[in-house]
């Protein structure tokens, strides 16, 4: 009853704030807004920025920049810079056009009173064939010829206003075709039937092992993104068939790109929601630089302690970026983040933490992660640039489970750090040929300590106790790649690549060919295809549990992808894509012996359908449906089974309506087939003790998973600041989605199956953000 009362109190307070605030005079309508009127100091702002060639990063001269619907615009100077003054306060679509380039469009550009909104545009060159008709319109679905298949991008506004996301970028990505969430409380990504550990994550060109609070490398749980969408310029997501510049992962690539701070004005944002409260600031620095910085403190521990829940998860994070342009050819960006996570769960009568036959265990967990990197971009003449990144990444985590008398019956203490250096030359050889050449090296340090008392599982399997320490000498990974994109004629592009990886720890050398193609069948219809070999080395934490694991080879996957895209208009597109992944040398871990082998194999295949509508006003949304099968085999002579991430049917409906600058209403519905699990089919008595008997591996499924989320946004414009409030309600009809069964057995051998009530049925989230 306590949970129900809290839920309705929060919903009631949110409804009062959203509906009644205008009557209280909190928000004001500024003259000179999007609807015209006299211009006052705080009713107008400015747009300023730079336009460059997307491939060469060269500034573009005499480019037209237009604020749609206002009659206002500007032209870039010889440095590619522009400024548009006296723009009424509001949210706009901005278009950028130049002869020989595809038309660029950006939605939801917010102009604040008395300040300058800074933007950076990158335009894609257009290859023109004589006599060929060219479609010229504002296109929200630009085709990147280097990434012809399985490629999606998200802007900051799309991430921030997505229903059911709590402004978490990973929860937004879960709405994309081919992606499934683990459950309501989990932000990890299950991409085309693959394990979350198979996804590569990049932060400003730095490879990082994780980007989620309470997530661990190789783990299947994760709380909330370390980086807030308010700090991001955009994210890029490839769910398969990715090109040669990406490696050491077999499922997907996710890259976060931070926005730059303003070069003219200081601004401050304060944000409060269930995920935490944060303060961010950006603005100019002495000497022509810019800065962007954010710090956030989670509030889960405050909420759980207030509600009497015996779990105290707490976290902090800090993210920053400093950028300097040194002359017209050099740009330096210092980027980084830091986060500590702590979790304490005290065992009680309602929440008995368990490890095998040990019950009533307290859990203590502490994680720390950091990354610091320097990006140097150097323009080489008019047709290319070099991007060099030097970085240091560190992760550590400790876990202990025990009782008051013996607090460390089971646990681990692990630290991993990497020093990374990589450099890429991007050269446009002609209007039809672009080449990338890259080299990279990573030095890896690791300390691994794990221990456990002996135990007997619920099915009667004895697991001896152990204490393992694995502190190998520093090792390294190194390699190179070459990638070429050729446009033999304007309606076709071919991207081919070759990647070489060497891993000193195992002595492995791998060569990975990649191939991608895009062919425009008509002005609005494109055929895409991709093929590639992908490898993933065993992480040192996987190696550490047993001496024999040091001989593990890389797991392997071969991707085949083909699809069609059709553009109904500049803001509406439909796509269909089929994929097949052939898996070999898959890691198979035996928990009783702690040994891992490469005996696994399998495949994943599916068909994805996506209909999407983008624009800055009115109705927007998407429909994503995936039919997929993910199958594994743990040995050549063993039977196939459905992997734990197999969900044949996934359907996501997302929509939002924006009638004005003040209001936005959205909803998301998600449906998925239940995940497979290994059922308990009976019991047996051994030496007077009853144990469960398990059936065929993953031969049963949990009930189908579905939920509806609704979000309402309301903004209030003041003279020199803006307040935004939102109510995001997860699982509106309070369905209990089952993702776990627990089993108990009594003295007669009777087995009872129960559903843990671990998560609330409905979660209302109230968020406030103030921008100054």
């Amino acid at each position: 009853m306590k949970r129900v009362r809290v839920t309705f109190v929060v919903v009631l307070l949110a409804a009062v704030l959203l509906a009644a605030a205008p009557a209280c005079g909190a928000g004001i309508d500024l003259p000179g807004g999007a609807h015209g009127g006299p211009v006052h100091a705080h009713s107008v702002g400015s747009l300023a920025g730079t336009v460059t060639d997307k491939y060469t990063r060269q500034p573009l001269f005499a480019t037209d920049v237009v604020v749609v619907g206002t009659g206002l615009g500007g032209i870039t100077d010889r440095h590619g810079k522009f400024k548009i003054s006296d723009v009424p306060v509001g949210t706009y679509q901005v278009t950028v056009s130049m002869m020989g380039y595809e038309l660029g469009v950006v939605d939801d550009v917010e102009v604040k009173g008395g300040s300058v909104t800074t933007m950076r545009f990158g335009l894609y060159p257009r290859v023109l064939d004589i006599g060929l008709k060219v479609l010229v319109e504002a296109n929200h679905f630009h085709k990147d010829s280097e990434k012809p298949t399985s490629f999606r991008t998200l802007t900051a506004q799309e991430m921030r206003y997505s229903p059911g996301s709590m402004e978490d970028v990973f929860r937004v990505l879960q709405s994309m075709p081919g992606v499934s969430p683990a459950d309501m409380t989990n932000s990890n990504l299950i991409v085309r039937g693959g394990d979350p550990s198979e996804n590569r994550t990049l932060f400003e060109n730095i490879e990082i092992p994780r980007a989620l609070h309470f997530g661990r490398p190789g783990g299947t749980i994760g709380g909330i993104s370390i980086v807030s969408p308010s700090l991001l310029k955009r994210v890029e997501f490839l769910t398969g068939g990715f090109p040669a510049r990406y490696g050491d992962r077999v499922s997907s690539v996710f890259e976060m790109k931070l926005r730059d701070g303003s070069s003219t004005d200081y601004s401050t944002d304060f944000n409060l929601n269930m995920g935490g409260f944060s303060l961010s600031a950006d603005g100019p620095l002495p000497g022509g630089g810019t800065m962007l910085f954010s710090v956030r403190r989670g509030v889960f521990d405050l909420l759980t302690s207030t509600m009497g829940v015996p779990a105290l998860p707490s976290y902090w994070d800090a993210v920053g970026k400093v950028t300097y342009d040194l002359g017209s050819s050099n740009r330096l960006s210092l980027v980084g983040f830091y986060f500590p996570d702590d979790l304490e769960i005290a065992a009680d009568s309602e929440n008995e933490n368990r490890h095998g036959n040990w019950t009533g265990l307290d859990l203590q967990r502490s994680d720390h992660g950091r990354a610091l990197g320097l990006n140097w971009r150097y323009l080489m003449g008019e047709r290319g640039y070099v991007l060099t990144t030097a970085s240091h990444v560190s992760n550590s985590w400790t876990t202990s489970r025990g009782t008051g008398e013996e607090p460390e019956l089971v646990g681990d203490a692990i630290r991993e750090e990497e020093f990374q250096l990589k450099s890429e030359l991007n050269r446009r050889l002609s209007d039809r040929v672009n080449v990338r050449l890259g080299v990279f090296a990573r030095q890896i340090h690791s300390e691994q300590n794990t221990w456990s008392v002996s135990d007997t599982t619920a099915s009667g399997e004895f697991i001896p106790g152990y204490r393992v320490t694995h502190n190998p000498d520093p090792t390294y990974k190194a390699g190179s790649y070459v990638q070429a994109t050729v446009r033999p004629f304007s309606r076709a592009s071919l991207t081919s690549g070759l990647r070489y990886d060497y891993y000193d720890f195992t002595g492995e050398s791998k060569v990975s060919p990649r191939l991608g193609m895009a062919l425009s069948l008509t002005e609005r219809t494109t055929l895409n295809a991709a093929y590639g070999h992908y490898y993933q080395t065993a992480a040192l934490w996987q190696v550490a549990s047993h001496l024999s694991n040091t001989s593990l080879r890389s797991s392997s996957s071969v991707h085949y992808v083909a699809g069609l895209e059709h553009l109904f208009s500049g803001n509406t597109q439909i796509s269909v894509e089929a994929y097949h992944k052939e898996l070999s040398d898959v890691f198979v871990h035996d928990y009783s012996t702690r040994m891992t082998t490469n005996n696994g194999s399998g495949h994943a295949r599916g068909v994805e359908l996506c209909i999407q509508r983008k624009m800055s006003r009115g109705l927007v949304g998407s429909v994503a449906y995936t039919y997929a099968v993910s199958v594994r085999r743990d040995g050549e002579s063993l039977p196939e089974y459905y992997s734990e991430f197999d969900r044949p049917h996934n359907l996501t409906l997302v929509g939002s309506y924006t009638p004005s600058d003040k209001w936005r209403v959205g909803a998301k519905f998600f449906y998925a087939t239940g995940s497979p699990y290994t059922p308990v089919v009976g019991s047996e008595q051994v030496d007077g003790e009853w144990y469960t008997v398990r059936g065929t591996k993953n031969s049963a499924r949990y009930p189908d998973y579905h939920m509806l989320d609704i979000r309402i946004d309301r903004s209030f414009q003041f003279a020199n600041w803006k307040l935004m409030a939102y109510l995001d309600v997860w699982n509106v009809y309070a369905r209990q989605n089952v993702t776990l069964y627990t089993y108990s057995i009594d003295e007669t051998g009777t087995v009872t199956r129960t559903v843990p009530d671990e998560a609330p049925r409905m979660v209302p989230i109230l968020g406030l953000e103030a921008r100054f």
Side-chain angles (χ1 to χ4, degrees):
M1 288 298 295
K2 181 187 293 185
R3 180 180 295 158
V4 174
R5 288 197 297 270
V6 171
T7 295
F8 280 102
V9 167
V10 174
V11 171
L12 180 61
L13 289 174
V16 170
L17 175 62
L18 292 173
C24 300
I28 58 175
D29 291 320
L30 292 174
H35 302 290
V39 176
H40 299 287
H42 295 292
S43 64
V44 297
S46 300
L47 285 175
T50 306
V51 182
T52 61
D53 184 294
K54 186 71 174 180
Y55 289 131
T56 66
R57 302 295 196 269
Q58 295 293 326
L60 297 179
F61 173 59
T63 303
D64 291 317
V65 183
V66 175
V67 184
V68 176
T70 66
L72 300 174
I75 299 177
T76 59
D77 61 19
R78 63 187 182 89
H79 302 293
K81 299 183 180 297
F82 69 91
K83 184 172 183 180
I84 306 171
S85 302
D86 295 331
V87 181
V89 169
T91 304
Y92 299 96
Q93 181 185 92
V94 177
T95 62
V96 185
S97 60
M98 182 177 181
M99 181 68 69
Y101 288 84
E102 297 185 7
L103 182 66
V105 57
V106 179
D107 290 324
D108 294 319
V109 177
E110 183 179 357
V111 176
K112 293 180 280 189
S115 64
V116 179
T117 299
T118 304
M119 309 180 68
R120 288 185 179 273
F121 294 92
L123 295 186
Y124 289 90
R126 182 195 298 274
V127 176
L128 298 176
D129 291 332
I130 298 176
L132 182 66
K133 183 179 179 181
V134 176
L135 180 66
V136 179
E137 63 179 342
N139 184 0
H140 295 73
F141 305 95
H142 173 79
K143 189 70 180 177
D144 189 333
S145 56
E146 292 186 333
K147 306 162 187 172
T149 66
S150 313
F151 178 55
R152 310 278 174 177
T153 62
L154 286 172
T155 65
Q157 297 294 80
E158 289 174 312
M159 291 180 276
R160 298 181 75 178
Y161 294 119
S162 178
S165 68
M166 200 170 66
E167 300 189 0
D168 181 355
V169 57
F170 287 91
R171 294 184 185 273
V172 179
L173 293 174
Q174 290 174 350
S175 300
M176 293 190 169
V179 183
S180 295
D183 59 57
M184 176 180 173
T185 62
N186 198 325
S187 293
N188 260 317
L189 303 178
I190 300 171
V191 181
R192 292 180 171 175
D195 189 287
S197 65
E198 297 172 357
N199 306 324
R200 165 62 70 202
T201 302
L202 292 98
F203 168 79
E204 283 286 307
N205 206 38
I206 302 170
E207 297 177 1
I208 59 176
R210 56 173 171 162
L212 288 171
H213 287 289
F214 305 108
R216 290 185 173 179
T220 57
I221 63 172
I224 187 171
S225 172
I226 296 165
V227 183
S228 168
S230 63
L231 306 176
L232 293 169
K233 178 181 179 181
R234 70 179 185 279
V235 300
E236 298 183 352
F237 190 39
L238 291 119
T239 56
F242 37 93
R245 62 193 304 251
Y246 304 109
D248 205 15
R249 287 298 184 271
V250 294
S251 277
S252 72
V253 175
F254 169 64
E255 184 166 9
M256 295 180 284
K257 299 179 183 292
L258 297 178
R259 63 180 175 88
D260 291 326
S262 173
S263 60
T264 57
D265 299 306
Y266 293 99
S267 65
T268 305
D269 286 10
F270 177 80
N271 192 309
L272 172 64
N273 60 35
M274 185 175 175
F277 58 87
S278 64
L279 180 66
S280 61
D282 74 283
L285 290 175
T290 65
M291 66 88 181
L292 172 68
F293 181 77
S294 173
V295 61
R296 177 172 56 174
R297 202 268 194 213
V299 296
F300 289 124
D301 54 333
L302 305 178
L303 294 174
T304 53
S305 61
T306 301
M307 299 173 65
V309 178
L312 297 175
S314 66
Y315 71 86
W316 290 79
D317 58 53
V319 181
K321 179 179 182 180
V322 173
T323 302
Y324 273 92
D325 287 323
L326 306 179
S328 59
S329 299
N330 293 278
R331 161 172 277 219
L332 293 177
S333 293
L334 181 67
V335 296
F337 66 75
Y338 170 73
F339 67 88
D341 299 339
D342 292 287
L343 175 64
E344 295 182 11
I345 302 179
D348 59 22
S349 57
E350 296 182 0
N351 181 32
E352 289 193 347
N353 296 317
R354 185 180 186 94
H355 178 77
N357 277 346
W358 290 87
T359 58
L361 300 184
D362 298 327
L363 169 66
Q364 290 190 330
R365 180 177 145 171
S366 180
D367 301 356
H368 293 79
R370 63 179 63 86
L372 182 65
L374 181 67
N375 286 307
W376 171 33
R377 188 217 61 195
Y378 170 64
L379 298 182
M380 298 182 60
E382 297 182 355
R383 287 191 170 270
Y385 68 93
V386 175
L387 178 62
T388 301
T389 302
S391 60
H392 173 253
V393 178
S394 175
N395 272 270
S396 63
W397 61 93
T398 59
T399 308
S400 62
R401 295 184 181 184
T403 64
E405 295 76 20
E406 296 182 273
E408 295 188 349
L409 293 173
V410 182
D412 57 35
I414 298 174
R415 182 184 67 86
E416 296 181 347
E417 62 178 336
E418 294 185 1
F419 296 90
Q420 304 176 10
L421 179 64
K422 58 182 178 179
S423 186
E424 180 185 82
L425 166 66
N426 190 316
R427 186 72 176 174
R428 192 177 176 191
L429 301 182
S430 70
D431 291 343
R432 298 181 183 271
V433 180
N434 196 82
V435 174
R436 292 181 186 266
L437 300 172
V439 294
F440 55 90
R442 300 159 63 183
Q443 187 181 54
I444 305 167
H445 300 254
S446 176
E447 296 177 1
Q448 317 274 337
N449 295 278
T450 59
W451 63 90
S452 176
V453 294
S454 60
D455 198 11
T456 303
T457 68
S459 57
E461 183 180 14
F462 177 75
I463 301 178
Y466 64 90
R467 179 174 290 273
V468 177
T469 298
H470 183 69
N471 299 326
D473 293 333
T475 186
Y476 68 90
K477 297 178 181 180
S480 61
Y481 59 87
V482 58
Q483 179 178 307
T485 300
V486 180
R487 299 185 68 105
F489 51 94
S490 62
R491 286 191 172 178
S493 67
L494 181 68
T495 298
S496 59
L498 194 65
R499 181 183 180 92
Y500 171 75
D501 289 89
Y502 175 75
Y503 188 22
D504 172 64
F505 187 81
T506 61
E508 277 189 294
S509 295
K510 295 293 184 182
V511 177
S512 311
R514 314 282 174 86
L515 187 64
M517 178 272 291
L519 176 64
S520 297
L521 304 179
T522 70
E523 295 174 0
R524 297 184 178 272
T525 305
T526 305
L527 172 66
N528 309 303
Y531 161 83
H533 283 251
Y534 303 89
Y535 298 95
Q536 182 166 336
T537 56
L540 290 179
W541 59 264
Q542 291 175 295
V543 173
S545 62
H546 197 278
L547 181 62
S548 68
N549 296 348
T550 56
S551 61
L552 282 173
R553 303 182 304 276
S554 297
S555 64
S556 173
S557 179
V558 182
H559 292 196
Y560 305 88
V561 188
L564 279 171
E565 295 174 342
H566 179 74
L567 195 67
F568 289 109
S569 65
N571 55 36
T572 305
Q573 177 181 268
I574 182 172
S575 63
V576 179
E577 195 164 86
Y579 68 87
H580 176 88
K581 298 195 295 185
E582 196 66 34
L583 312 175
S584 60
D585 290 333
V586 176
F587 303 131
V588 178
H589 185 69
D590 187 325
Y591 288 92
S592 62
T593 64
R594 308 189 316 278
M595 295 175 61
T596 303
T597 68
N598 288 108
N599 294 338
S601 61
H603 65 265
R605 60 173 67 106
V607 178
E608 302 165 356
L609 169 68
C610 183
I611 304 173
Q612 192 171 13
R613 175 179 171 85
K614 290 186 177 184
M615 58 189 302
S616 59
R617 282 288 183 271
L619 181 65
V620 300
S622 64
V623 178
Y625 170 74
T626 302
Y627 173 75
V629 176
S630 181
V631 174
R632 298 291 187 273
R633 187 197 304 269
D634 290 343
E636 188 173 340
S637 61
L638 298 178
E640 289 186 337
Y641 62 91
Y642 291 114
S643 81
E644 60 180 301
F645 306 112
D646 177 76
R647 285 185 165 183
H649 299 282
N650 285 265
L651 174 66
T652 305
L653 309 175
V654 182
S656 68
Y657 180 67
T658 309
S660 68
D661 284 341
K662 296 181 179 180
W663 288 95
R664 185 188 299 254
V665 180
K668 179 177 74 173
F669 175 77
F670 174 76
Y671 167 85
T673 308
S675 300
Y677 73 96
T678 303
V680 170
V681 295
S683 62
E684 64 177 356
Q685 193 174 34
V686 179
D687 297 331
E689 293 288 337
W690 286 100
Y691 298 98
T692 57
V693 176
R694 295 191 174 272
T696 304
K697 186 172 184 177
N698 287 357
S699 59
R701 287 188 182 272
Y702 295 110
D704 291 351
Y705 187 107
H706 56 84
M707 60 188 291
L708 174 68
D709 307 324
I710 294 177
R711 174 168 171 144
I712 303 172
D713 290 82
R714 175 68 163 93
S715 63
F716 309 95
Q717 183 68 60
F718 295 83
N720 56 3
W721 67 288
K722 185 175 184 178
L723 174 67
M724 291 166 288
Y726 71 84
L727 174 65
D728 198 358
V729 183
W730 296 2
N731 199 15
V732 171
Y733 50 81
R735 173 177 170 81
Q736 184 180 27
N737 285 301
V738 179
T739 58
L740 179 67
Y741 290 131
T742 59
Y743 297 89
S744 60
I745 187 168
D746 62 18
E747 64 276 4
T748 66
T750 302
V751 177
T752 302
R753 188 182 76 179
T754 58
V755 177
D757 189 17
E758 296 180 339
R761 303 289 182 87
M762 181 176 70
V763 180
I765 299 169
L766 177 63
L768 297 172
E769 181 177 359
R771 297 182 185 175
F772 301 91

